[in-house]
Amino acid sequence: MEKKLEIYIHIPFCVKKCRYCDFLSFPGQEPLIRAYADRLAEEIRKKGEELRIAGDLRPVCSVFLGGGTPSILEVEQTGDLMRAVRESFTLAEEPEITMECNPGTLTREKLSAWRRAGIGRLSIGLQSASDRELACLGRIHTWKEFEENYFLAREAGFSNINVDLISALLEQTPQSWRQTLEKVLKLEPEHISAYSLIIEEGTPFYEIYREDAERRERGENPVFLPSEEEEREMYRDTEKLLGEAGYGRYEISNYAKRGYACRHNIGYWEREDYLGFGLGAASLYKNTRYRNTENLERYLNEDREKEEIQVLSEKEQMEETMFLGLRLTEGVNLKKFEEEFGIPCEAVFGEPVERLTKQGLLRRNGERLCLTERGLDLANYVMAEFV
């Protein structure tokens, strides 16, 4: 069965780098952003031509503009990028096209222009409804500004909006997290992504709170971070409150109303082919993983040679199918596994599947193998068993 084809476009620029963020992003001035956008459109067109020559005419089912803060781009720059995509690739019927954006960077003009360019889905980074928590994270907006931007998007006609949230923040309590969830639920977005804060190396938070994170990992009480039990309570409240409000959990950290699960992200978990454009963007194409350079000067001024090229062996493809597919609450499609690899999943991973099933972490649901409720809690442990 031929894999689907997706496109990811990376915009590394933002107004200000958040204190917890380890993504490839940084503040950028307009001349630099303009030069980058031009180079990006050129890269998209070049790749489209390469695929046409190679005879790969698969329609693109989803496009995702991520970052950074893609909404920092000017209207003309976004329009040029979308034009490059449409002129270089054939889009599937009713493709899912997502724009990541941050409150404080949205305007009526931009929203209207995005709609005209075919962007139908927004992913808005809120993170918290508490202004105190937002300030601690280094966000550039308040709850009120987020609310204003959200309503602007609705007025512009966007009927598919995701809101990004982060729990287990510094000095956050289960009560303040519930307040964030309740405020967001009143707005009735179609999709909610709810992640737990990770203190990532190389960030300002790591320098300040590393010892606190290590203290919690050892089972000791942290000073600034919520305790392990408080984090578990936030995790349980997320599932409970969102479930009661009609949001189905379809992936470890993602919830959606019926029919609004993010198709682009599901493609990642199901190992569909995707092409990454822009600084540091990763791709998976015909079982080869590679990424662009993370050096901005090289990206702008030199040929963009691919880096970290990895041609996946069949064993590695099988392993990825398992540990990525198990992120989805529906789990791994066992029939599809056998069709793709010509061998039943049990013949390859029988021992870990049997052991994890006996431990109550995996269960078989018809033609699918998925995590149990307890397995979702211990997902990292389960997935590591397939590598």
Side-chain angles (χ1 to χ4, degrees):
M1 182 184 297
E2 190 173 50
K3 291 181 178 290
K4 296 176 183 176
L5 184 62
E6 303 184 329
I7 285 177
Y8 172 79
I9 300 172
H10 188 66
I11 310 298
F13 306 107
C14 48
V15 176
K16 186 181 78 168
K17 182 88 168 180
C18 296
R19 301 170 70 202
Y20 61 91
C21 178
D22 72 330
F23 293 161
L24 181 57
S25 61
F26 39 81
Q29 300 300 315
E30 177 51 34
L32 181 61
I33 296 174
R34 191 183 312 116
Y36 180 85
D38 290 343
R39 193 70 162 149
L40 190 50
E42 177 188 322
E43 183 191 5
I44 291 168
R45 288 193 165 91
K46 182 179 178 182
K47 189 63 179 182
E49 180 63 21
E50 287 177 8
L51 263 59
R52 278 198 298 274
I53 293 172
D56 187 347
L57 304 177
R58 282 178 289 172
V60 172
C61 62
S62 69
V63 179
F64 196 104
L65 291 90
T69 306
S71 52
I72 202 173
L73 295 179
E74 297 297 332
V75 165
E76 295 78 10
Q77 294 163 345
T78 304
D80 288 345
L81 289 177
M82 288 306 303
R83 194 174 306 111
V85 169
R86 292 182 182 279
E87 291 174 354
S88 307
F89 297 89
T90 300
L91 294 186
E93 188 176 349
E94 297 184 3
E96 178 190 80
I97 304 179
T98 302
M99 167 73 83
E100 274 190 346
C101 46
N102 276 341
T105 63
L106 301 184
T107 64
R108 281 190 174 85
E109 181 189 13
K110 284 184 178 181
L111 290 162
S112 297
W114 296 346
R115 292 280 294 156
R116 291 194 300 272
I119 296 169
R121 183 176 184 272
L122 297 183
S123 181
I124 308 178
L126 168 61
Q127 317 316 352
S128 170
S130 161
D131 288 346
R132 182 181 64 82
E133 291 171 4
L134 290 172
C136 178
L137 290 171
R139 302 293 289 173
I140 64 169
H141 61 89
T142 62
W143 162 256
K144 185 172 185 292
E145 287 168 328
F146 162 80
E147 226 178 2
E148 290 170 351
N149 280 196
Y150 181 89
F151 291 131
L152 269 182
R154 287 301 198 202
E155 290 170 14
F158 283 93
S159 57
N160 189 354
I161 297 178
N162 168 60
V163 176
D164 265 354
L165 301 174
I166 302 179
S167 64
L169 303 179
L170 285 304
E171 300 182 10
Q172 187 182 55
T173 66
Q175 181 183 8
S176 70
W177 173 242
R178 283 193 294 272
Q179 289 171 347
T180 284
L181 292 174
E182 288 163 356
K183 283 185 171 183
V184 171
L185 287 172
K186 286 180 181 177
L187 298 177
E188 299 185 344
E190 286 67 35
H191 189 288
I192 296 174
S193 296
Y195 303 98
S196 182
L197 177 69
I198 299 174
I199 306 298
E200 299 282 10
E201 191 170 354
T203 66
F205 267 17
Y206 186 80
E207 300 303 318
I208 303 170
Y209 302 113
R210 177 185 60 186
E211 291 184 6
D212 214 37
E214 292 172 349
R215 192 177 291 117
R216 185 169 64 184
E217 287 177 7
R218 294 194 298 266
E220 302 171 10
N221 285 328
V223 178
F224 304 104
L225 295 167
S227 68
E228 185 176 355
E229 181 51 42
E230 287 175 320
E231 186 175 10
R232 296 301 308 157
E233 185 176 347
M234 294 179 201
Y235 176 87
R236 290 190 294 267
D237 283 344
T238 303
E239 190 169 23
K240 179 176 182 293
L241 292 176
L242 269 58
E244 290 173 349
Y247 292 82
R249 186 183 190 182
Y250 70 92
E251 191 268 341
I252 290 174
S253 302
N254 287 282
Y255 300 76
K257 292 182 179 179
R258 184 179 295 276
Y260 288 97
C262 179
R263 286 184 270 153
H264 186 87
N265 285 342
I266 289 175
Y268 288 153
W269 311 137
E270 294 187 338
R271 295 190 71 253
E272 303 292 0
D273 280 356
Y274 57 90
L275 300 172
F277 296 104
L279 191 70
S283 300
L284 172 62
Y285 185 71
K286 295 188 175 180
N287 290 314
T288 299
R289 290 192 179 277
Y290 58 87
R291 66 172 57 249
N292 285 350
T293 179
E294 295 188 0
N295 183 303
L296 183 59
E297 185 176 352
R298 281 187 60 195
Y299 181 82
L300 292 176
N301 299 311
E302 301 178 20
D303 289 337
R304 292 171 297 277
E305 293 296 327
K306 304 304 180 188
E307 299 183 346
E308 301 179 29
I309 299 174
Q310 178 189 11
V311 179
L312 299 172
S313 67
E314 186 171 69
K315 179 175 180 290
E316 288 169 330
Q317 294 170 41
M318 291 178 180
E319 290 172 349
E320 284 195 356
T321 297
M322 298 303 293
F323 69 73
L324 291 175
L326 286 172
R327 289 191 63 92
L328 297 168
T329 54
E330 283 190 344
V332 176
N333 186 322
L334 299 175
K335 183 179 180 182
K336 186 177 176 182
F337 184 102
E338 186 168 356
E339 287 174 351
E340 182 173 355
F341 299 112
I343 186 172
C345 174
E346 291 85 349
V348 184
F349 299 108
E351 189 278 325
V353 168
E354 182 179 2
R355 175 164 41 82
L356 293 166
T357 300
K358 286 181 179 178
Q359 292 174 5
L361 303 176
L362 286 180
R363 65 185 176 89
R364 178 124 182 200
N365 183 15
E367 290 293 337
R368 290 185 173 272
L369 183 72
C370 52
L371 296 171
T372 61
E373 283 297 316
R374 183 164 175 262
L376 285 166
D377 292 346
L378 300 171
N380 289 338
Y381 163 74
V382 175
M383 292 169 194
E385 294 296 293
F386 292 96
V387 179

